[in-house]
């Protein structure tokens, strides 16, 4: 088939282009050019999207497929104890929701019961329809550390950390996820202590490198982020409550930063609708504004910013990447940089740039058609007209 574009972006980080045609063959991009570059036979199979904006299929670098974005804290607490069979069924629904929003590849950064591994196998065998899944299986924390309650792998000391890494590799995990710190305390404006010791973090990173697996580090606050950078992690998740020096250090490092702005916004929305002692609106608002400033500062200085939602966090639904993109735009990023953060740059970070993320000949034919112009209004990313994965339209 031949797709006729109006405005479009190829996901390479460059500016938007206009009025070209993209030939799809055997699930891949075969050629890109002007209408006259294609034969009459090829033009006979034309699908005209010239009234819309065409983009690469989006990549969400941070999701938790086992959990939907529940906005009721009591229901969320009960969900941690739900039977694994129900959890798996819910995750299938989350896959479908993700793909419908134009997200064609996700990186699952931790969950219970080996859910992400089961989903990945089911997708590869075409039992399910959904985005490609890159799995880290179980996130690794210290005993009682952050996320241990969500099926995390608790470990203490260097030797246990190494064993935990090897267990995830055995299950087929493509990434190793570690919890360097806990959550932000919005009352005290504090990221808390660093939960992993330097020796534990070094042991995880070394074991992961020996296994050929990159490391994703959940870290907030200057101390936690500095430790993550020192240990050579590939991606930094969240990174709230930073000062200018730490933001600059991120920009000077090779790390990919996934700031996940949308969970902070959804927590703020929740705090304004429900009284909760641990979620004071003023405190969340202050953290979010500081976070956005540091992300923008780091980007201006050359940091590799990647879009990710933390889908499954409070109020964050699967497929909410459009909102993360809006927040990056509102933080000062230009439109092309936002698209890059959710396409080509995300593919680089997730290790799948050879196949997806950019609309170039030889890449998988993943497309998103939206009704509107992202340069003028990034929120149009939520108005999805059609999604293609591997050259096939998703119904």
């Amino acid at each position: 088939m031949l797709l006729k574009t109006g405005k479009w972006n190829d996901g390479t980080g460059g500016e938007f282009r206009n009025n070209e045609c993209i030939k799809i063959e055997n699930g891949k991009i075969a050629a890109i050019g002007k209408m006259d570059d294609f034969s009459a036979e090829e033009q006979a199979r034309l699908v005209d999207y010239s009234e819309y904006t065409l983009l690469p299929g989006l990549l969400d670098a941070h999701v938790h497929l086992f959990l939907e974005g529940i906005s009721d804290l009591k229901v969320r607490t009960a969900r941690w104890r739900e039977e694994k069979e129900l959890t798996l069924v819910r995750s299938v629904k989350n896959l479908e929701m993700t793909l419908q929003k134009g997200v064609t590849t996700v990186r699952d950064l931790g969950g219970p019961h080996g859910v992400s591994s089961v989903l990945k196998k089911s997708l590869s065998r075409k039992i399910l329809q959904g985005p490609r899944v890159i799995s880290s299986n179980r996130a690794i924390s210290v005993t009682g550390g952050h996320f241990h309650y969500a099926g995390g792998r608790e470990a203490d000391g260097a030797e246990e950390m190494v064993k935990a890494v090897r267990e995830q590799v055995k299950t087929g995990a493509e990434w190793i996820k570690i919890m360097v710190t806990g959550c932000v305390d919005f009352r005290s404006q504090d990221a808390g202590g660093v939960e992993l010791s330097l020796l534990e973090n070094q042991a995880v990173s070394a074991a992961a490198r020996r296994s050929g697996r990159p490391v994703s580090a959940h870290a907030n606050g200057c101390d936690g982020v500095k430790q993550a950078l020192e240990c050579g992690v590939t991606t930094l998740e969240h990174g709230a409550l930073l000062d200018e020096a730490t933001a600059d250090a991120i920009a000077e490092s090779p790390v990919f930063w996934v700031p996940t702005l949308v969970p902070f916004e959804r927590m703020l929305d929740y705090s304004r609708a429900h009284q909760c002692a641990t979620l004071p609106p003023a405190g969340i608002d202050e953290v979010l504004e500081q976070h956005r400033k540091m992300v923008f500062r780091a980007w201006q200085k050359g940091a590799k910013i990647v879009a990710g939602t933390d889908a499954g966090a409070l109020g964050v639904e699967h497929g909410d990447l459009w909102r993360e993109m809006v927040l990056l735009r509102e933080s000062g990023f230009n439109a092309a940089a936002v698209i890059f953060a959710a396409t080509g740059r995300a593919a680089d970070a997730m290790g799948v740039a050879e196949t997806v993320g950019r609309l170039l000949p030889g890449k998988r034919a993943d497309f998103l058609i939206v009704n509107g112009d992202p340069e003028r209004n990034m929120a149009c990313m939520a108005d999805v007209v059609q999604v293609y994965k591997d050259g096939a339209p998703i119904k």
Side-chain angles (χ1 to χ4, degrees), residues 61-62 107 109 175 215-222 225 228-229 233-261 264 287-309 324 328 333 340-342 345-346 348-350:
H62 191 139
R107 185 178 57 154
L109 289 180
W175 280 75
V215 175
S216 163
H218 166 112
N220 289 303
C222 297
V225 168
L229 295 179
V233 304
T234 300
T235 65
L236 173 68
E237 315 301 318
H238 315 304
L241 290 175
L242 303 186
D243 57 22
E244 291 184 352
T246 308
D248 293 349
I250 291 173
E252 293 165 5
S253 79
V255 77
F256 294 92
W257 186 6
V258 189
T260 64
L261 300 172
F264 294 92
V287 169
L288 176 57
E289 287 307 305
Q290 175 70 4
H291 191 29
R292 290 171 60 169
K293 287 178 183 177
M294 291 302 100
V295 172
F296 179 62
R297 177 187 176 91
W299 172 69
Q300 284 187 307
K301 290 179 173 290
K304 296 184 286 189
I305 306 299
V306 175
T309 60
E324 184 74 13
L328 288 172
F333 288 59
F340 187 44
R345 179 71 88 193
D348 294 339
M350 295 159 66

Side-chain angles (χ1 to χ4, degrees), residues 83-214:
E83 301 94 321
K84 63 180 180 181
E85 292 83 4
L86 282 177
T87 298
L88 181 59
V89 172
R90 290 183 190 279
S91 66
V92 172
K93 180 180 177 182
N94 293 336
L95 273 184
E96 295 172 349
M97 187 186 309
T98 301
L99 189 58
Q100 292 289 336
K101 298 290 185 68
V103 180
T104 53
T105 304
V106 299
R107 185 178 57 154
D108 187 289
L109 289 180
H113 314 309
V115 164
S116 62
S117 296
V118 173
L119 295 176
K120 184 176 178 66
K121 290 177 184 177
S122 300
L123 289 163
S124 66
R125 297 174 189 177
K126 302 189 185 304
I127 299 170
L128 299 175
Q129 177 175 272
R132 296 174 192 82
V133 173
I134 299 167
S135 171
S136 67
N137 199 27
R138 300 170 70 190
I140 301 171
S141 72
V142 298
T143 298
H146 180 58
F147 214 62
H148 78 277
Y149 45 82
R153 169 56 160 94
E154 294 172 283
D156 300 298
E159 289 187 7
E160 282 192 27
M161 290 288 169
V162 171
K163 184 174 182 179
V165 168
R166 291 172 177 168
E167 286 176 357
Q168 307 321 304
V169 172
K170 181 180 177 181
T171 64
E174 298 145 287
W175 280 75
I176 301 301
K177 172 70 179 299
I178 57 172
M179 298 296 179
V180 178
T181 70
C183 292
V184 171
D185 187 328
F186 296 105
R187 294 165 296 184
S188 61
Q189 304 284 301
D190 180 47
V194 181
E195 295 184 348
L196 259 69
S197 71
L198 180 58
L199 286 176
E200 288 171 328
N201 202 335
Q202 290 171 333
V204 166
S205 299
R209 280 193 292 271
R210 285 193 296 270
S211 300
R213 302 301 193 274

Side-chain angles (χ1 to χ4, degrees), residues 3 43 126 329 348:
L3 300 184
Q43 291 182 32
K126 302 189 185 304
R329 185 79 167 107
D348 294 339

Side-chain angles (χ1 to χ4, degrees), residues 299-365:
W299 172 69
Q300 284 187 307
K301 290 179 173 290
K304 296 184 286 189
I305 306 299
V306 175
T309 60
D310 202 6
L314 182 67
V316 184
E317 288 292 357
H318 293 270
D320 276 353
L321 195 63
W322 71 271
R323 187 59 195 169
E324 184 74 13
M325 296 170 76
V326 169
L327 290 172
L328 288 172
R329 185 79 167 107
E330 291 177 350
S331 297
F333 288 59
N334 62 52
V338 173
I339 299 299
F340 187 44
T343 56
R345 179 71 88 193
D348 294 339
M350 295 159 66
V352 293
E354 288 188 7
T355 55
V356 298
R358 294 170 173 84
L359 299 184
L360 299 172
K363 306 289 187 185
R364 305 305 305 179

